[in-house]
Amino acid sequence: MSTVNTPLETVNTPLAPGSPVVMGAPRDGIVFERNVVDGMKAAPGDVLFRLADISTIWVLADVPEFDLGAVRLGAPVTIRVRSLPGRILEGNVSLIYPQVSEATRTTRVRIEIGNPDGVLLPNMYAEVEIGTGGAAPVVAVSDSAVID
């Protein structure tokens, strides 16, 4: 019969010098930041690693102030990433930040998109098109087709 040590019992068990210590993470994700190296001493409360769940990604887009009135929560968004030519991703506007940048006269808009295959990574550059029209179809003709 084998016994399973609890995390507290594992910490209190003496190890031989140089023995690796394996600690599990409370959730899945990728290592986003590593603040520890081999041989480093860590104190209680030190952040050794930061993990990120990238199954859903936030795309942050800067929208010019004069276009902001047309952007709505839940609006459909088409995203193209330079590193994935020919691939079109879709998402929705989930948040319009409540401030305008004085330097650029833009407002940040957050778009949530799924990333099930993990091809999108933090800080990638993307081109974003936000749908601003109504849901009802309209007839559109060029100015030259209209007779006064």
Side-chain angles (χ1 to χ4, degrees):
M1 176 185 240
S2 65
T3 61
V4 176
N5 290 341
T6 65
L8 185 58
E9 291 170 343
T10 303
V11 170
N12 291 327
T13 304
L15 296 172
S19 297
V21 176
V22 178
M23 299 182 79
R27 59 186 59 95
D28 288 337
I30 63 166
V31 176
F32 191 62
E33 186 177 313
R34 180 180 174 192
N35 300 321
V36 66
V37 293
D38 288 340
M40 184 175 140
K41 182 178 178 182
D46 286 351
V47 176
L48 305 179
F49 296 94
R50 283 184 51 212
L51 301 179
D53 176 10
I54 60 169
S55 62
T56 299
I57 294 285
W58 289 354
V59 176
L60 300 177
D62 292 326
V63 176
E65 183 179 16
F66 57 84
D67 288 334
L68 194 57
V71 178
R72 302 279 180 253
L73 288 176
V77 179
T78 303
I79 301 162
R80 290 178 182 82
V81 180
R82 288 184 176 179
S83 64
L84 302 171
R87 187 162 176 189
I88 297 174
L89 305 163
E90 295 181 357
N92 294 306
V93 173
S94 62
L95 177 68
I96 301 170
Y97 285 79
Q99 68 269 1
V100 175
S101 167
E102 290 182 31
T104 61
R105 305 310 304 169
T106 59
T107 296
R108 195 151 273 189
V109 173
R110 184 171 70 198
I111 302 153
E112 288 189 18
I113 61 171
N115 187 26
D117 48 2
V119 296
L120 299 175
L121 301 172
N123 299 318
M124 292 178 93
Y125 182 81
E127 294 177 5
V128 174
E129 293 177 23
I130 300 174
T132 58
V138 296
V139 177
V141 294
S142 67
D143 287 339
S144 62
V146 177
I147 301 174
D148 288 330

